Amino acid sequence: GAQVIGLDLRVRPSAMTIDALERIAALHGFVVFPNQTLPDCALVATSTFFGSGMLASLHTVHNDAVHDDIFRVSNDERHGIVGVGPQWHSDGATERRVFSHILFHAQRMPSGRGGGTAFADLAGAFAALPRRQQEDWSRLATVNAFSGAVHPLVITHPVTRRRSLFVHLGMVGAVIRWGPASANCGLRSSHYARLEAMEPGAGPFRDCGHEVLDESEARALLSSVDALLSQPEHSISWPYRVNGPTADLLLVDNLAAAHRATQEAHDTSGGLRILHRATVQGIWEVDPAAESQLPPFAYIWGDNPCGGNGLWEGSDHVGVGFRWNRSLRMQN
């Protein structure tokens, strides 16, 4: 993470400053702006400074939320949505163009150091892998358990051009492996390549050399990703600072840093936690590589298109996909 002091984000910065802030966020994962006063709906206006300038609101709106575009989370259901985001994820994974930026503004924080958000460096984590594992993971794509969006496990960040992981460990419905033979099957010239939502028949294709990982393989992979991102050298927890009407504002590059709520964030013993979040509509299509011949959406609600014992699982009633670790709480 990085920190910028002395900038009042109630006022729109110059285009040059906004570009610089977005580049800092892309390089460092997130930027902290201390002592920001953003009353009422001000976070909505501030969020439009970045990325596409349009907000994407796919969340539940709490009765106490000051605006429909503000996701109000808390450790007390009377004050916000509880239990949110305990696993590593990037927001907007249901979309082809996943959210570009996230803004968090603290409202109330428990005493001590509880209530923070953990962030993981997706490029640094990928760079730490052995080369053979990098190559293997670069031929994998996940299918979102709710929307069927197909995203590569490894992307090239559109700003830094660094190779990075892309994950939502709470919404994986399937994992697809593709090989060298996939490049020649011609799927990319079909209408499947232009999908903006899943439809019956869309998915991986056995004739294209696509293979769906079985449950044990998917569990091992997602457990490995979780362990990698949780290593201290790749992750950090930010304890939001609140001082009366002012508090930390965080600008997160959603493709550079995954995040999750810390365990203490859900605990009520230290006091009330309220955090406001706004998400910026995506700009870049996070599609599988062209040579994979995978479509941008697969029909996750049908049968496994490749047959066999591959894991192919639509989400449950709260949007959670494959529960790869039954000991972990999973909620979106």
Side-chain angles (χ1 to χ4, degrees):
Q3 190 166 204
V4 173
I5 298 173
L7 188 63
D8 183 357
L9 284 175
R10 290 174 296 183
V11 181
R12 185 181 184 92
S14 68
M16 183 180 298
T17 299
I18 291 172
D19 181 69
L21 294 176
E22 290 181 346
R23 289 184 177 278
I24 293 170
L27 287 168
H28 298 280
F30 65 96
V31 183
V32 181
F33 304 93
N35 301 317
Q36 295 293 313
T37 303
L38 297 173
D40 300 324
C41 303
L43 177 61
V44 174
T46 297
S47 300
T48 63
F49 300 163
F50 302 101
S52 65
M54 296 179 288
L55 300 193
S57 303
L58 303 178
H59 53 254
T60 302
V61 179
H62 192 269
N63 289 337
D64 286 352
V66 296
H67 193 282
D68 285 355
D69 285 329
I70 292 179
F71 187 39
R72 183 179 171 94
V73 300
S74 181
N75 57 359
D76 186 330
E77 64 182 4
R78 296 171 299 177
H79 298 282
I81 307 300
V82 299
V84 175
Q87 65 285 313
W88 291 114
H89 65 285
S90 290
D91 285 337
T94 57
E95 307 301 296
R96 184 177 185 183
R97 300 168 188 83
V98 302
F99 304 158
S100 64
H101 298 88
I102 312 163
L103 288 91
F104 292 110
H105 189 231
Q107 305 296 301
R108 292 277 297 275
M109 283 293 135
S111 58
R113 297 181 64 83
T117 300
F119 297 94
D121 176 6
L122 295 171
F126 178 74
L129 293 172
R131 182 173 296 276
R132 177 62 182 272
Q133 195 169 5
Q134 289 182 346
E135 294 172 354
D136 290 344
W137 283 16
S138 295
R139 293 187 180 275
L140 298 175
T142 61
V143 182
N144 186 272
F146 181 75
S147 70
V150 180
H151 296 303
L153 182 61
V154 181
I155 68 170
T156 298
H157 191 283
V159 175
T160 66
R161 309 309 299 173
R162 297 175 69 190
R163 298 285 280 165
S164 305
L165 298 173
F166 179 81
V167 296
H168 193 311
L169 293 182
M171 297 191 79
V172 175
V175 182
I176 304 167
R177 179 186 291 119
W178 54 276
S182 302
N184 301 316
C185 80
L187 180 66
R188 282 283 168 168
S189 62
S190 75
H191 83 281
Y192 288 126
R194 297 181 292 277
L195 291 179
E196 291 295 337
M198 63 177 170
E199 65 175 47
F205 296 89
R206 187 184 302 170
D207 292 346
C208 289
H210 299 153
E211 175 189 357
V212 179
L213 271 58
D214 64 27
E215 185 173 317
S216 62
E217 292 174 309
R219 178 175 289 108
L221 171 70
L222 300 178
S223 297
S224 295
V225 173
D226 178 66
L228 175 65
L229 297 183
S230 300
Q231 292 178 8
E233 58 266 39
H234 304 314
S235 59
I236 185 173
S237 177
W238 185 262
Y240 299 98
R241 299 163 297 190
V242 180
N243 183 18
T246 70
D248 286 343
L249 172 70
L250 271 61
L251 170 67
V252 184
D253 185 306
N254 194 42
L255 298 181
H259 65 280
R260 67 180 180 188
T262 61
Q263 185 174 353
E264 299 79 15
H266 305 294
D267 185 8
T268 58
S269 61
L272 181 62
R273 176 189 194 249
I274 302 174
L275 181 67
H276 284 177
R277 186 204 73 180
T279 45
V280 182
Q281 184 173 308
I283 302 172
W284 304 285
E285 295 171 345
V286 185
D287 289 344
E291 59 265 29
S292 74
Q293 295 291 295
L294 285 167
F297 289 90
Y299 194 66
I300 192 63
W301 295 104
D303 296 329
N304 174 6
C306 292
N309 298 320
L311 172 75
W312 196 260
E313 183 175 317
S315 66
D316 63 15
H317 67 286
V318 292
V320 173
F322 173 51
R323 295 182 181 271
W324 49 272
N325 187 330
R326 290 286 179 178
S327 66
L328 292 180
R329 178 180 181 179
M330 300 183 76
Q331 178 179 329
N332 296 314

